[in-house]
């Protein structure tokens, strides 16, 4: 126990050195619970731990952010946890798009996303379609041909049921008359590994999840689900170019628990805008092919509203909700 | 790539004063974090991650911070055994299997034997794993990739079967115990559909006057493994000891002299079998993403018991029952570094934090790490050897201090165990719901113990259930619901067949015995 006291004390000294002279209206009085609504090793997890480290490294906060993974039920576990926390001022969460879809699919959870505090949107993550190099496929057209002829034998792995990955797979199936089989996984890391091991035939991983195996040449991107070609993959066409008017992004935002006070919200928005502006974050953003600018407050809630509308339409079309 | 010169150079760099100092500090920190109930390597590594930036700023490389964290990881694997043996509370989830035989040994007054066996077995386990890691890391990564969902499920079934097939325990009771653990493991959310499961809602909702009296939202995060383990082995065991001794017994005087430690070291060859099983099995389970050191140590215990001639002595203080899980958890923790570094996939909660660290220090873990970052990889591998040696020496040196705890009368020890169990559970998850649940499990475990149910299978089930269930269901989606997928694939097929045979063995045994009794006319 004395050990943790020493650690605590020295951490405090370090942060005091760093922030001395800057007056803050509200500051956390204990470690901040930093919830990740996905499993370890996935895109959201790595990003959250990077944000935590930037906060520590640049001494941006007097108390540490303590990441906890709550991957259960495509984010349902995390949302229910957030709704019921006893101290909303010290609880923030990194979101995926399950922030929109899970409450729509499970009205029983009684989660209203508009009650969450809009701390800040850090980026929009992008999606690409990946196949193993041994499939011998190099273009989206070849993919369509192969996927059509193999029918249900073509297997897409993705993170969670009715999640981003599932929505994209549904779109491919519907728009191109395919019958790709979708297998939900706990996290994008496991999907990437199973694609590299050819346990599945394709994935729609984010660049950050697939990068290791892309650089080693094991997996190949065929198409990007973005509006414009990605600077990192200039030779990979967008789905729009191939004729289907569809693009899809994942919000990478930080939200506060429902009931967070305005003072605390102001503090965290300020904190994360500093994280956003840091060199480390900007470098991560460009090296992992992330898009989107910082967004907070009513802009962010407005963005949520649009996204919720869009996901309602998507999920209704796929029959996931009525 | 020439492995031997690279390794020698790596060890040489790991012995540089700053790195050596980091090894020693890391190991000692890890030892204490591991020995504290509720805190394990994952807590130690996560708490100290921010400090690695300071280290990186001073040394200017990513290697030194990683050496520091790896040393904590190692130390914790050694430390976990200490409270498992001396207090009967698992110091970390990875050391649960160590309580099965380590605690009975301590109660018999042979705690120094258990502690020494644990330390040496850990050392051998880690050394075996280090050699494998050094020689075969990149090719073994390819093996890990061959393990898809059906293969991992087959492996989980094999683990269960080692507990059923050849145990000395009552088989129906073992099955019931496993089923109980599996039910507890399903609480939370369905992984495939996202639906809530067994969360109970508000049991008092029916009567408006009492609505909200009991808060069951804690079930939404599922039943954590440590909550069950601390309940069963901390509280349950404590009540059992009080009941069976009426509080009169003091711990058998443990004679701690240099000589007794030495004689314990001399007796180590008896535990060689468990050590070997643990070393190899642990490494293998460790390199599979999703498994990690806890399943590795439980499986090693099961397999060692299975291959033993006197199964009856397990759970009553067999040194092999201490050596196997301890060798395995050290070996598995080195193994778990492999998919983390070569595939960028964490094999355990602790490696997930290490992975995040590597990303932060500007490295890209993945298939190219070994060829593109040799300046990072080899000193780190070198440090595995150094940390391991430091850990075993520090651990052996501290044994007399740990044994001092056992000299206390049980009337003093029991309240300490109670307090540590409560604090440990709270420290791990920071909520009271889990503390109440832990106490409830403690009482339940005591009752089951009176009825002679083995509890280790339930603990195994709550660890392996969350791995077995999704892999089985993902496999069945792949095969359109046909179970043949488990038997027709080249790797999962043989594993499944062995598992099924082990499960059927008791039936065959029973048939053989009854045939002999009444020969066919």
């Amino acid at each position: 126990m004395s050990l943790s006291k020493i650690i605590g004390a020295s951490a405090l000294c370090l942060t005091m050195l760093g922030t001395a002279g800057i007056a803050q209206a509200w500051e956390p009085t204990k470690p901040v619970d930093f919830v990740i609504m996905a499993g370890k090793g996935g895109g959201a997890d790595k990003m959250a731990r990077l944000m935590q480290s930037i906060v520590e490294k640049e001494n941006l906060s007097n108390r540490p952010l303590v990441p906890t993974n709550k991957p259960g039920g495509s984010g349902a576990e995390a949302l229910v946890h957030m709704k019921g926390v006893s101290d909303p001022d010290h609880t923030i969460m990194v979101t995926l798009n399950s922030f929109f879809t899970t409450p729509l699919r499970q009205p029983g959870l009684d989660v209203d996303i508009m009650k969450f505090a809009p701390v800040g949107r850090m980026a929009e993550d992008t999606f690409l379609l990946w196949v193993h190099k041994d499939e011998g496929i190099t273009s989206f057209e070849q993919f369509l041909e192969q996927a059509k002829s193999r029918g249900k034998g073509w297997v897409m792995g993705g993170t969670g049921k009715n999640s981003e990955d599932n929505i994209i797979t549904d779109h491919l199936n519907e728009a191109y008359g395919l019958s790709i089989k979708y297998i939900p996984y706990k996290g994008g890391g496991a999907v990437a590994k199973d694609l590299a091991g050819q346990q599945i035939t394709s994935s729609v991983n984010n660049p950050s999840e697939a990068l290791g195996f892309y650089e080693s040449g094991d997996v190949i991107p065929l198409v990007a689900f973005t509006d414009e070609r990605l600077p990192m993959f200039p030779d990979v066409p967008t789905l729009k170019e191939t004729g289907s008017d569809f693009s899809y992004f994942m919000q990478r935002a930080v939200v506060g628990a429902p009931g967070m006070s305005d003072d605390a919200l102001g503090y965290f928005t300020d904190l994360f805008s500093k994280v956003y502006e840091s060199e480390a974050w900007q470098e991560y953003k460009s090296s992992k092919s992330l898009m989107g600018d910082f967004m907070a407050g009513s802009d962010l809630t407005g963005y949520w509203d649009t996204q919720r509308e869009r996901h309602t339409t998507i999920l209704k079309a796929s029959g996931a909700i009525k | 790539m020439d492995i031997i010169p690279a390794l020698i150079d790596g060890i040489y760099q790991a012995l540089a004063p700053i790195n050596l100092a980091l090894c020693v500090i890391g190991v000692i920190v890890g030892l204490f974090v591991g020995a504290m109930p509720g805190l394990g390597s994952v807590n130690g590594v996560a708490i100290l991650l921010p400090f690695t930036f300071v280290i990186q700023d001073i040394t200017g490389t990513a290697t030194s911070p990683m050496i520091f964290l790896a040393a904590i990881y190692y130390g914790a694997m050694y430390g976990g055994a200490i409270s498992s043996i001396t207090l009967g509370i698992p110091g970390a989830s990875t050391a649960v299997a160590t309580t099965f035989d380590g605690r009975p040994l301590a109660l018999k007054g042979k705690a120094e034997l258990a502690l020494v066996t644990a330390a040496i077995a850990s050392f051998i386990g880690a050394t075996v794993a280090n050699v494998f890691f050094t020689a075969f890391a990149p090719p073994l990564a390819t093996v890990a990739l061959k393990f898809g969902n059906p293969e991992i499920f087959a492996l989980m079934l094999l683990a269960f079967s080692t507990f059923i097939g050849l145990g000395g325990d009552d088989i129906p009771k073992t099955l019931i115990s496993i089923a109980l653990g599996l039910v507890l493991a399903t609480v939370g959310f369905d992984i495939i559909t996202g639906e809530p499961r067994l969360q109970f809602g508000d049991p008092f909702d029916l009567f408006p006057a009492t609505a909200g009296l009991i808060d069951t939202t804690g079930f939404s995060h599922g039943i954590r493994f440590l909550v069950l383990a601390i309940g069963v082995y901390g509280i349950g065991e404590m009540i059992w000891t009080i009941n069976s001794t009426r509080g009169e017994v003091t711990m058998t005087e443990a004679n701690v002299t240099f000589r007794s430690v030495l004689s314990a070291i001399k007796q180590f060859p008896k535990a060689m079998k468990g050590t070997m099983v643990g070393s190899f099995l642990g490494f293998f389970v460790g390199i599979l993403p999703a498994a990690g050191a806890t399943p590795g140590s439980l499986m090693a215990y099961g397999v060692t018991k299975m291959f033993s001639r006197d199964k009856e002595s397990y759970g009553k203080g067999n040194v092999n029952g201490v050596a196997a899980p301890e060798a395995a958890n050290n070996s598995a923790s080195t193994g778990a570094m492999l998919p983390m570094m070569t595939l960028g996939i964490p094999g355990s909660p602790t490696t997930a934090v290490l992975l995040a660290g590597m990303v932060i220090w500007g490295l890209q873990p993945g298939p190219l790490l070994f060829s593109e970052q040799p300046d990072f990889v080899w000193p780190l591998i070198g440090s595995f050897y150094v940390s391991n040696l430091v850990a075993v020496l520090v651990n052996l040196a501290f044994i007399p201090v740990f044994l001092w705890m056992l000299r206390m009368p049980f009337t003093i020890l029991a309240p300490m165990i109670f307090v540590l169990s409560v604090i440990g559970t709270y420290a791990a998850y920071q909520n009271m719901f889990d503390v109440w649940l832990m106490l409830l499990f403690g009482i339940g475990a005591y009752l089951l113990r009176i009825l002679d149910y083995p509890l280790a299978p339930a603990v195994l089930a709550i660890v392996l259930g969350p791995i077995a269930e999704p892999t089985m269901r993902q496999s069945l989606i792949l095969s359109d619901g046909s179970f043949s997928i488990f038997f027709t694939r080249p790797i999962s097929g043989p594993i499944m067949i062995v598992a099924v045979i082990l499960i059927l063995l008791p039936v065959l045994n029973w048939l053989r015995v009854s045939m002999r009794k009444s020969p066919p006319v």
Side-chain angles (χ1 to χ4, degrees):
Chain A
M1 282 289 102
S2 64
L3 173 76
S4 60
K5 265 187 199 158
I6 295 166
I7 294 165
S10 36
L12 203 66
C13 291
L14 280 175
T15 43
M16 277 162 73
L17 281 174
T19 53
I22 302 168
Q24 282 284 354
W26 183 93
E27 284 196 339
T29 52
K30 60 179 197 180
V32 176
D33 192 7
F34 195 24
V35 178
I36 303 162
M37 60 189 309
K40 292 192 173 94
D45 184 60
K46 281 185 201 157
M47 204 169 288
R49 288 174 200 276
L50 176 67
M51 291 184 216
Q52 175 213 11
S53 78
I54 294 173
V55 170
E56 301 281 352
K57 199 173 186 175
E58 317 245 324
N59 283 324
L60 298 177
S61 169
N62 61 333
R63 294 296 155 117
L65 308 180
V66 183
T68 35
N69 294 76
K70 296 197 185 295
S74 299
E77 179 190 359
L79 288 165
V80 170
H81 170 80
M82 292 296 282
K83 199 182 70 166
V85 288
S86 54
D87 187 358
D89 281 0
H90 289 92
T91 314
I92 55 176
M93 176 169 81
V94 171
T95 66
L96 288 73
N97 282 5
S98 45
F99 182 66
F100 309 119
T101 53
T102 301
L104 287 172
R105 282 171 42 230
Q106 294 184 40
L109 295 177
D110 196 23
V111 169
D112 179 4
I113 58 168
M114 290 313 194
K115 286 188 183 154
F116 284 71
V119 171
R121 190 191 73 180
M122 304 299 288
E124 279 189 312
D125 211 339
T126 53
F127 294 89
L128 289 102
L129 174 68
W130 306 87
V131 292
H132 196 276
K133 69 167 190 304
D134 291 350
E135 294 292 341
I137 296 173
T138 52
S139 72
F140 185 61
E141 287 70 33
Q142 286 172 343
F143 157 79
L144 286 180
E145 214 172 277
Q146 283 285 326
K148 203 164 264 173
S149 73
R150 283 196 235 173
K152 279 167 76 185
W154 191 278
V155 181
M156 178 84 80
T159 313
K161 179 91 175 162
N162 291 320
S163 60
E164 305 80 8
D165 297 6
N166 203 345
I167 287 169
I168 295 175
T169 310
D170 283 349
H171 174 79
L172 288 175
N173 276 340
E174 203 177 322
Y176 298 96
L178 307 173
S179 38
I180 296 172
K181 189 186 282 175
Y182 179 81
I183 299 188
Y185 280 74
K186 242 194 225 166
V191 176
K193 176 222 136 206
D194 266 10
L195 181 62
Q198 289 190 284
Q199 307 292 340
I200 51 179
T201 9
S202 63
S203 78
V204 284
N205 271 146
N206 303 122
S208 67
E209 293 164 336
L211 219 52
F213 293 109
Y214 166 70
E215 284 173 355
S216 67
D218 288 313
V219 299
I220 302 170
L222 296 180
V223 75
F225 301 95
T226 48
D227 296 319
E228 315 256 316
R229 290 195 180 197
L230 291 165
M232 239 180 114
F233 307 96
D235 300 330
V236 178
T238 64
L239 193 69
K240 285 191 170 172
E241 288 175 46
T242 70
S244 175
D245 188 21
F246 177 87
S247 64
Y248 195 75
F249 298 92
M250 162 122 68
Q251 87 151 351
R252 299 288 191 187
V254 178
V255 305
M260 178 180 270
S261 67
D262 287 345
D263 289 348
L265 174 59
Y267 172 85
F268 285 116
T269 296
D270 184 48
L271 175 69
F272 280 94
S273 69
K274 280 180 196 153
V275 172
Y276 180 83
E277 280 153 20
S278 72
E279 205 181 309
W281 182 258
Q282 289 303 324
E283 201 208 304
Y284 184 82
K285 230 184 119 199
S286 60
S287 71
K288 307 290 176 193
S289 242
L290 298 171
M291 306 178 87
D293 298 324
F294 188 77
M295 198 186 250
S298 56
D299 289 347
L300 186 53
T301 44
Y303 170 78
W304 289 349
D305 208 29
T306 333
Q307 286 292 321
R308 186 162 64 172
E309 290 278 299
R310 178 169 187 212
H311 283 95
T312 312
T313 320
I314 292 176
L315 291 180
K316 266 186 188 158
S318 75
I321 56 171
K322 278 172 196 152
Chain B
M1 178 176 49
D2 259 344
I3 289 172
I4 306 280
L7 176 65
I8 291 172
D9 188 48
I11 293 180
Y12 179 72
Q13 291 194 42
L15 286 171
I18 174 103
N19 290 342
L20 187 63
L22 287 171
C23 272
V24 175
I25 299 170
V27 162
I28 294 175
V29 169
L31 207 61
F32 280 91
V33 172
M36 274 299 296
L39 294 181
S41 56
V42 62
N43 310 75
V45 171
I47 293 168
L48 290 171
L49 185 63
F51 283 84
T52 60
F53 308 128
V54 181
I55 300 172
Q56 194 187 13
D57 282 348
I58 295 170
T59 62
T61 79
T63 317
S64 302
M66 186 67 180
I67 287 177
F68 181 57
L69 293 187
I72 296 174
Y73 192 19
Y74 258 117
M77 289 298 149
Y78 279 85
I82 295 162
S83 50
S84 293
I85 292 167
T86 55
L87 298 173
I89 318 171
S93 62
T94 47
V96 168
T98 314
T99 54
F100 300 166
D101 279 279
R103 181 64 178 154
L105 273 173
L107 289 172
K108 284 186 197 163
K110 292 185 188 164
E112 79 277 12
L113 181 64
L115 286 169
V116 169
T117 305
I120 301 178
S122 295
F123 177 73
I124 295 178
T127 306
V128 168
N130 284 342
V131 170
F132 271 113
F133 193 105
T134 313
F136 308 116
L140 277 172
T142 335
V143 174
L145 284 182
K146 294 269 181 290
F147 271 71
N149 292 317
E151 285 76 21
I152 292 178
F153 173 72
L155 206 64
M156 293 301 120
L157 194 71
L158 185 67
F160 282 120
S161 67
T162 58
F163 267 65
I164 305 168
L166 292 148
D169 302 310
D170 188 317
I171 297 208
K173 282 184 172 168
T174 305
L175 283 173
I176 291 171
S177 179
I178 287 182
L180 196 66
L182 285 177
V183 169
L184 294 178
T186 55
V187 173
F189 284 94
D190 185 306
I191 296 144
I192 306 291
T193 65
E195 298 298 319
R197 276 197 311 211
L198 293 177
Q199 296 187 9
F200 300 102
D202 189 339
F204 294 95
D205 236 7
L206 292 174
F207 315 101
T210 53
L213 200 63
I214 291 187
D215 183 15
T216 53
T217 49
F219 283 121
S220 67
H221 55 233
I223 292 176
R224 270 93 173 235
F225 158 72
L226 258 185
V227 173
L228 181 72
I230 294 181
V232 169
Y233 294 102
I235 303 297
E237 189 72 28
M238 181 194 75
I239 305 176
W240 173 260
T241 312
I242 293 173
N243 183 47
S244 53
T245 62
R246 302 279 158 208
E248 281 162 19
V249 119
T250 51
M251 287 292 107
T252 329
E253 189 87 354
N255 274 329
V256 210
T257 56
F258 184 65
R259 197 176 296 161
S260 68
V261 172
L262 212 63
S263 97
I265 295 175
K266 277 196 194 123
Q267 289 181 50
F268 182 76
K270 281 188 204 153
M272 214 50 208
K273 202 184 201 175
T275 308
M276 281 300 125
V277 172
S279 305
F280 288 96
L281 191 70
F283 182 75
F284 183 66
V285 174
I287 66 171
L288 300 176
T294 307
S297 64
L298 284 161
M299 284 170 78
Y301 183 86
V303 170
T304 307
K305 181 177 174 184
M306 188 177 84
F307 284 117
S308 167
R309 273 194 215 106
D310 54 340
K311 297 175 188 74
E312 293 293 324
S313 68
Y314 281 80
K316 295 176 188 127
N318 188 318
V319 282
N320 280 299
V322 176
E326 276 307 306
N329 66 27
N330 277 61
S331 175
S333 55
T334 303
M337 299 261 197
L338 202 149
M340 176 196 75
M341 287 168 61
T342 57
L343 304 174
I345 314 287
S348 67
T350 313
T351 49
V353 179
L354 296 181
L355 181 75
M358 290 174 65
V359 173
I360 296 160
W361 304 321
L363 295 163
Q364 169 77 47
L368 298 182
L369 186 75
F370 270 68
S371 50
E372 286 187 354
Q373 302 280 350
D375 297 344
F376 170 77
V377 171
W378 288 104
L380 176 63
I381 294 179
S383 87
F384 290 173
Y385 290 84
V386 176
S387 298
N388 190 27
L389 191 66
V390 171
V392 74
L393 294 177
V394 170
N395 198 355
L396 286 174
F398 272 98
I399 282 178
V401 182
F402 304 136
L403 286 175
W404 171 81
M405 279 193 268
L406 284 176
R407 298 240 188 93
M408 278 181 274
F410 197 69
T411 41
I412 295 179
L413 206 53
M416 263 180 62
I417 290 175
F418 182 82
V419 170
L420 281 177
S421 297
V422 171
I423 293 178
T425 312
Y426 191 83
Y429 305 115
Q430 268 128 48
N431 72 69
M432 277 312 285
F433 181 83
D434 284 332
V435 175
W436 295 121
L437 209 57
M438 182 275 296
L439 293 172
L440 205 67
F441 284 141
I443 296 165
Y446 168 66
L447 295 176
L448 286 176
R449 182 113 191 240
I450 292 177
L451 299 171
D452 218 13
Y453 279 86
L455 294 169
V459 173
L460 176 89
I462 204 171
V463 177
L464 301 188
I467 304 171
E469 192 208 331
T471 50
M472 182 180 98
R473 290 176 62 188
Q474 285 162 342
S475 304
L476 290 177
I477 296 175
L478 198 64
S479 69
D480 289 317
S482 161
F483 279 89
S484 62
I485 188 170
F486 297 113
F487 294 95
T488 50
R489 291 166 60 114
I491 300 176
S492 74
I495 304 177
M496 283 299 282
I497 290 166
V498 174
V500 170
I501 291 173
L502 284 178
I503 293 171
L504 290 178
L505 259 179
V507 182
L508 298 177
N509 246 343
W510 176 79
L511 276 178
R512 207 182 58 200
V513 171
S514 57
M515 295 260 273
R516 217 180 275 161
K517 270 181 193 158
S518 52
V521 186

